[in-house]
Structures are given as C-alpha cells and as structure tokens.
Amino acid sequence: GLSSSKITYIRNLAEAIENGLSKRSLQGMDNADAIACLTAVKGIGPWTAEMYLIFGLKRMDVLSLGDAGLQRAARTLYSNGRPPKDLLLQIGEPWRPYRSVASWFLWQSLSNKK
C-alpha cells in the first residue's frame, strides 16, 4: 500500500492534470517555468520535477543540484580533499547545454568498479 500522504499527493497530481497540467503544456515552457508549475502541485518537489524534465520530457540541460548521487559522483571525480559546497554547480556550468547528459555519466560513474 500507499500511505495516506502519498494517496493525497496522487490525488493532487490527478487534479492538476484535470485542470490542464500536461506533458504538452510543460514542453512549451522553459525549465524554470516547468519546474515552478510542477512544484506548485503539493507532493512534487524540485528533485521530482527535475527528474521529470530529464527523463519524462527528455530535456538536455537539467542539472539537479540537490541530487545526492550527482553530488557524490562530483566529489569522487572532481575533488581532492575538501570539496567546496557548490562543487556541482561549479563543474556543471561548462557542461551547458548538455548538463542532463553529463548527469547520466556522473550517475553511471557511481556503478563503475573502483
């Protein structure tokens, strides 16, 4: 089963879809507007919205700064010693407009044998 909170969130999403939220409507928005639209639905946070942009809408330039896996991969691959707090932001900037692709590689690096 689902917790009562998750049931409420699913209902919130269904209501948003009933009121016009759709893949098509999101496709016409830039990343910031699409994330704002998604996170306006109670139960959808920034990480979920960013993952939807990457995997649902196939956006090529999304970097989920709050993703623990991306942060861990960045520290492992790009940090010697104590990493700066905004390491992922710093290293991700030059990857525009393909930060989603870079994210896929970072996630994959976590499953590579050391």
Side-chain angles (χ1 to χ4, degrees):
L2 294 171
S3 68
S4 60
S5 295
K6 287 185 182 175
I7 291 169
T8 300
Y9 298 153
I10 291 168
R11 286 185 176 149
N12 293 341
L13 178 57
E15 185 178 316
I17 291 168
E18 201 170 70
N19 291 328
L21 177 65
S22 68
K23 188 173 185 177
R24 176 172 280 175
S25 67
L26 294 169
Q27 285 173 327
M29 298 178 191
D30 66 20
N31 288 352
D33 288 341
I35 289 169
C37 188
L38 287 166
T39 57
V41 178
K42 185 172 170 86
I44 298 179
W47 181 85
T48 302
E50 291 162 348
M51 293 305 110
Y52 185 73
L53 265 61
I54 293 171
F55 297 106
L57 298 180
K58 308 291 190 224
R59 297 278 175 99
M60 299 301 286
D61 192 33
V62 178
L63 182 62
S64 183
L65 298 175
D67 185 88
L70 293 178
Q71 291 176 12
R72 187 169 63 250
R75 285 191 308 268
T76 300
L77 297 170
Y78 291 90
S79 175
N80 296 326
R82 199 165 180 178
K85 182 178 176 139
D86 61 349
L87 174 65
L88 187 55
L89 180 63
Q90 288 177 16
I91 63 172
E93 195 55 37
W95 299 335
R96 284 181 188 272
Y98 301 106
R99 293 180 300 170
S100 297
V101 176
S103 296
W104 300 332
F105 282 102
L106 288 174
W107 283 315
Q108 185 61 39
S109 76
L110 296 172
S111 62
N112 290 339
K113 293 183 180 181
K114 306 256 178 198

